[in-house]
C-alpha cells in the first residue's frame, strides 16, 4: 500500500514537472514575434495581490491563501524578472520568498507567466506539515492585460521542499490575481 502511494506521488510530481516544462517551452516557441516589441519590453513593475484556495487538491489542510507580490520591471539576461512574495493561508501556513519569472505575451492582451523561487516556510500542523523550512514555489499564471497594463489572472502554484526534508508532501494553490502597474509613466 505504501509503495503504491509513493508511486502515485512520484507520478503526480512527474506530471507537474512535465506540464511546467511544456508551458514554458510552448510559450517561448508560440508567443508571437512581437513579444519583445516596445509595447511589451517596457512593461512596468507590478504590485500583485492574490487570493485563492490553499491545498485544494489533496484537502489535508484546506484554507484560503492570501498573497502579495512585488514584480520588478528590471530584466536579468534580458528575459527573467525578479519577484518577491509573502503569503499566508488561513490554515496556518506562511511563506516568504522570491524568485524569477518570465512574461510570455500572446498578442497584446494575454500573458502567461511561469515563475520559480525559494520560500522560507512557517507553520504546519498535524494535518499538513511541509517538513522543511525551505519550500520552492513553482507557478504558472494566465492573465488578461487591461488598457492601463493592469492584469487579471488565474494561477496554479505548487509548494515543494524538493525532497530536502524526510518527506516531501507538497501542496497546491489555485489563485486569483490582480496586478497593479506601479510605473505610471509607462502606462499607455
Amino acid at each position: 500500500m505504501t509503495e503504491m502511494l509513493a508511486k502515485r506521488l512520484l507520478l503526480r510530481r512527474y506530471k507537474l514537472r512535465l506540464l511546467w516544462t511544456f508551458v514554458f517551452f510552448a510559450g517561448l516557441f508560440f508567443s508571437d514575434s512581437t513579444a519583445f516589441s516596445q509595447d511589451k519590453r517596457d512593461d512596468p513593475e507590478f504590485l500583485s495581490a492574490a487570493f485563492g484556495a490553499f491545498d485544494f487538491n489533496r484537502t489535508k489542510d484546506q484554507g484560503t491563501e492570501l498573497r502579495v507580490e512585488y514584480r520588478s520591471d528590471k530584466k536579468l539576461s534580458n528575459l527573467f524578472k525578479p519577484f518577491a512574495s509573502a503569503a499566508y493561508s488561513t490554515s496556518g501556513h506562511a511563506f516568504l520568498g522570491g524568485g524569477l519569472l518570465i512574461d510570455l505575451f500572446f498578442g497584446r492582451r494575454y500573458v502567461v507567466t511561469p515563475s520559480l523561487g525559494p520560500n522560507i516556510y512557517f507553520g504546519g500542523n498535524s494535518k499538513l506539515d511541509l517538513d522543511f523550512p525551505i519550500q520552492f514555489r513553482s507557478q504558472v499564471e494566465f492573465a488578461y492585460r487591461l488598457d492601463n497594463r493592469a492584469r487579471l489572472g488565474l494561477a496554479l502554484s505548487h509548494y515543494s521542499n524538493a525532497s530536502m526534508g524526510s518527506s516531501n508532501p507538497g501542496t497546491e494553490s489555485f489563485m486569483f490575481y490582480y496586478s497593479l502597474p506601479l510605473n505610471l509613466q509607462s502606462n499607455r
Side-chain angles (χ1 to χ4, degrees):
M1 183 72 167
T2 325
E3 186 177 317
M4 182 189 284
L5 180 62
K7 285 182 181 179
R8 202 177 321 150
L9 288 174
L10 187 62
L11 181 62
R12 187 179 85 191
R13 191 176 312 145
Y14 172 75
K15 286 179 182 177
L16 283 172
R17 287 182 184 156
L18 186 62
L19 176 64
W20 170 262
T21 304
F22 174 77
V23 167
F24 180 77
F25 285 108
L28 285 177
F29 183 75
F30 291 112
S31 61
D32 66 7
S33 61
T34 62
F36 296 103
S37 69
Q38 184 70 25
D39 189 37
K40 295 165 183 111
R41 194 173 0 134
D42 294 333
D43 225 20
E45 58 190 342
F46 290 96
L47 181 62
S48 300
F51 72 94
F54 178 79
D55 195 38
F56 73 94
N57 65 327
R58 293 181 331 143
T59 65
K60 284 189 172 187
D61 198 16
Q62 288 181 304
T64 300
E65 183 174 345
L66 306 171
R67 192 182 295 165
V68 176
E69 292 181 4
Y70 167 76
R71 298 179 180 187
S72 177
D73 60 343
K74 306 295 185 250
K75 290 186 179 177
L76 307 171
S77 300
N78 204 27
L79 190 62
F80 298 100
K81 296 179 184 180
F83 72 92
S85 66
Y88 176 77
S89 80
T90 56
S91 52
H93 304 269
F95 303 88
L96 184 62
L100 297 174
L101 61 83
I102 181 172
D103 286 328
L104 304 170
F105 293 92
F106 294 86
R108 185 172 180 263
R109 297 286 184 187
Y110 300 99
V111 185
V112 175
T113 305
S115 61
L116 179 65
N119 284 259
I120 298 171
Y121 168 63
F122 308 93
N125 54 41
S126 61
K127 293 179 185 177
L128 178 64
D129 183 357
L130 297 180
D131 194 39
F132 203 73
I134 298 173
Q135 296 290 315
F136 293 91
R137 187 191 86 187
S138 55
Q139 174 174 289
V140 63
E141 177 186 346
F142 302 91
Y144 180 78
R145 192 170 174 224
L146 304 173
D147 286 339
N148 68 352
R149 295 189 178 198
R151 297 179 186 177
L152 296 172
L154 297 173
L156 181 62
S157 305
H158 174 71
Y159 291 104
S160 170
N161 66 26
S163 297
M164 293 190 297
S166 57
S167 67
N168 186 11
T171 191
E172 283 76 31
S173 298
F174 184 74
M175 307 294 288
F176 297 94
Y177 267 88
Y178 177 73
S179 297
L180 175 70
L182 297 179
N183 186 353
L184 299 177
Q185 293 174 342
S186 291
N187 291 347
R188 300 189 216 309

